[in-house]
Amino acid sequence: MNATRVLVLNSGSSSVKYQLLDMRDASRLAVGLVERIGEQTSRLKHACVASGDTREQNGPIADHDAALKAVAEELAKDGLGLDSPELAAIGHRVVHGGMFFTEPTVIDDAVLTEIERLIPVAPLHNPANLTGIRTAMALRPDLPQVAVFDTAFHTTMPESAARYAIETKLADRYRVRRYGFHGTSHAYVSRRTAELLGKAYEDVNVIVLHLGNGASASAVRGGRCVDTSMGLTPLEGLVMGTRSGDLDPAVIFHLQRVGGMSMDEIDTLLNKRSGLFGLCGDNDMREIRRRMDEGDEQARLAFDIYIHRLRKYIGAYYAVLGSVDAVAFTAGVGENADFVRAAAVAGLEGLGLAVDGERNAVRGDEARLISPDGARVAVAVVPTDEEMEIAGQTYALVGKDNRDN
C-alpha cells in the first residue's frame, strides 16, 4: 500500500493546529486545534471531514506531549491514527530557517540544532516549533518528519533587498538581515494567482498582500520572491493588528532615554500594543469598521494609517517589479474585508489598478478576480492554504520513496 497521507502540525507556544491530508487528491481528512495548553481551561476541537463528525474536549492539557497524544487519540477514533501505514510523513511549520534552510528539509539532529541556534531571531516561535517536532518524533520515531520554513520562500531575494545598510561584518556575525515571513502563504497565493490568470508561474509578476492580524507584502517575479515587507523579525513592514510595522529606529532610543522604558518594555510595546490596537484600542478590522460607521475619528485615523502604509508598499513593489500582472489579497482581512481592498487600490488607477464594486462585494472561499473586465492589472482574492502548501512540500520531498516502493 502506498503511503499518501501527511499530517501537518503548526505548534505555537500554547497551541497546536493540525490537519491530516491525503495527497492522492489533496483532500482533507481531519482538522483540529488544541489551545490554551498548560492551562486548566485547555480545549481540543476536532473535525473528521469525511464523516462530518465534530468533537470537543475541555479540561487541562499539561503540555505539548499531552496535546499531541490527545490529537493522536482523536484521529484514531476516526480510523486515521498515527500508526496507520498510509501515513507518509509529518510536516511541521517552522517560522525561522535563516539562510541555511532554503527548502523543506527532513529533520535530523543537525536540523534540530540549527533551528535551535535561530531562537535568538525568533524567540516567540522557534522554541514552540521545536517542542512540537520533538514530541512528534517521540510518538513516531520511524516516520519522516519534515520542516517547512516560513522564511524559505524569501531566500531568493537579492542581496540588495535582503541586506540592511549597517556594517557588513557586524551584520554577518549576528545574522542581521531581512528574512521575511508568511513564506508558505506567499508561495501558495502567488502560484494560485498565476493559475487563476491562466498563465505559467514563471511568466507572472504578482504583488501578494497577506493581511491578517500579522500582515506582510511580497513582490514575486516569475515564482521567485524579490522583496518582502517583514525583515529580521515579523515586526517590520505593514501596520498590523498589534505590531507597529516600519518605524524610525531612533524611536527606540528616544523611548529608552527620554521615556525611561526598558528594552523588554519597548519590545512589548512594538509587538503587542502597537499597530491598529495601539492607534485605536481595537485590532479587529470588523470592529474598526463598525466604529468608523458610527463616526469614531480615532478608528478612522487608525484605518487611514493602515491603508496609507499598504498603498505605499503596493507602489513600491510595482517599482521593484517593473511590471505587474496581478495584486492578490489573502488571509483573514485580505479575503473578507472588501472595504480594505477597495481603499488599498483607490487612487491607483494610473497604475492600472481598480476593483469592480459588485465583484469586490462577493464573499466566497474560491479564488476570484475582483477587477473590471479588461483591467491592465488583475486584482484578485486568493484564499491562502498554508497547510496544503506544507503538505504538498512535505509529500514532494518524501513521497517519491513511497511511490517507488
Side-chain angles (χ1 to χ4, degrees):
M1 178 184 294
N2 290 336
T4 58
R5 295 175 183 172
V6 174
L7 177 63
V8 175
L9 294 178
N10 181 353
S11 300
S13 58
S14 61
S15 68
V16 175
K17 297 178 184 177
Y18 64 94
Q19 290 195 20
L20 180 66
L21 302 99
D22 192 325
M23 301 314 295
R24 284 177 298 186
D25 55 4
S27 61
R28 285 175 176 78
L29 303 177
V31 299
L33 167 67
V34 187
E35 55 188 344
R36 297 192 289 273
I37 296 171
E39 301 180 19
Q40 293 298 309
T41 57
S42 305
R43 179 171 64 176
L44 188 158
K45 297 170 67 176
H46 175 88
C48 177
V49 177
S51 67
D53 291 341
T54 60
R55 298 186 291 274
E56 184 172 316
Q57 292 183 28
N58 292 279
I61 296 176
D63 50 30
H64 283 73
D65 182 64
L68 283 181
K69 287 178 179 176
V71 168
E73 290 173 3
E74 290 301 318
L75 290 169
K77 291 176 185 177
D78 300 319
L80 304 170
L82 295 189
D83 58 351
S84 169
E86 295 184 66
L87 188 60
I90 298 177
H92 298 266
R93 179 199 180 208
V94 179
V95 167
H96 214 309
M99 291 301 294
F100 189 80
F101 297 110
T102 61
E103 56 190 17
T105 305
V106 174
I107 300 168
D108 56 19
D109 288 343
V111 172
L112 288 173
T113 298
E114 186 63 22
I115 295 172
E116 195 164 17
R117 286 182 60 203
L118 288 162
I119 286 176
V121 289
L124 300 178
H125 299 96
N126 274 30
N129 301 154
L130 279 167
T131 299
I133 291 169
R134 286 175 171 139
T135 300
M137 291 178 79
L139 288 173
R140 280 298 306 269
D142 59 313
L143 198 67
Q145 312 266 341
V146 175
V148 177
F149 299 90
D150 271 12
T151 50
F153 183 64
H154 304 302
T155 58
T156 57
M157 284 192 295
E159 288 292 278
S160 56
R163 281 196 176 270
Y164 293 108
I166 64 173
E167 184 183 332
T168 301
K169 289 182 179 179
L170 190 71
D172 290 345
R173 184 185 310 158
Y174 296 110
R175 304 185 182 194
V176 176
R177 62 185 291 123
R178 303 184 64 252
Y179 294 101
F181 299 89
H182 296 146
T184 51
S185 177
H186 287 278
Y188 178 85
V189 171
S190 57
R191 188 173 59 254
R192 282 289 292 118
T193 301
E195 293 171 1
L196 185 64
L197 297 179
K199 297 182 178 180
Y201 194 23
E202 60 270 19
D203 296 333
V204 174
N205 290 351
V206 184
I207 297 172
V208 178
L209 304 173
H210 178 108
L211 307 180
N213 193 50
S216 60
S218 68
V220 183
R221 178 184 292 124
R224 293 170 62 85
C225 177
V226 295
D227 207 347
T228 193
S229 58
M230 287 179 167
L232 174 71
T233 75
L235 182 59
E236 187 180 357
L238 302 175
V239 175
M240 304 177 221
T242 64
R243 297 183 190 128
S244 65
D246 291 341
L247 189 78
D248 180 349
V251 170
I252 297 170
F253 313 144
H254 181 79
L255 292 174
Q256 183 187 37
R257 294 167 181 163
V258 179
M261 295 177 68
S262 69
M263 284 293 105
D264 285 344
E265 288 172 330
I266 296 171
D267 189 305
T268 299
L269 169 70
L270 297 181
N271 279 290
K272 298 182 179 179
R273 291 171 35 218
S274 295
L276 292 170
F277 180 80
L279 290 167
C280 71
D282 272 309
N283 62 321
D284 188 321
M285 191 61 77
R286 294 165 296 188
E287 183 64 15
I288 290 171
R289 174 61 182 268
R290 183 193 66 78
R291 288 172 55 183
M292 287 194 299
D293 289 344
E294 294 177 354
D296 187 315
E297 291 302 318
Q298 196 171 9
R300 166 58 66 180
L301 178 59
F303 181 77
D304 288 346
I305 293 170
Y306 179 95
I307 293 297
H308 178 77
R309 184 80 57 81
L310 184 56
R311 197 181 286 132
K312 277 177 59 176
Y313 267 91
I314 294 172
Y317 286 172
Y318 206 117
V320 166
L321 290 169
S323 65
V324 175
D325 295 287
V327 173
F329 289 87
T330 193
V333 174
E335 293 170 28
N336 298 299
D338 58 339
F339 61 100
V340 170
R341 298 191 296 261
V345 302
L348 300 182
E349 292 83 3
L351 298 179
L353 288 163
V355 297
D356 178 279
E358 290 186 7
R359 291 175 179 174
N360 190 35
V362 172
R363 296 178 69 97
D365 297 329
E366 298 298 320
R368 59 198 183 277
L369 296 178
I370 59 172
S371 45
D373 290 337
R376 193 163 86 241
V377 177
V379 180
V381 178
V382 180
T384 192
D385 197 336
E386 293 174 88
E387 289 79 14
M388 185 64 71
E389 182 71 16
I390 292 169
Q393 291 190 26
T394 297
Y395 190 65
L397 183 61
V398 305
K400 183 177 185 299
D401 291 338
N402 295 314
R403 294 189 293 272
D404 289 345
N405 289 336

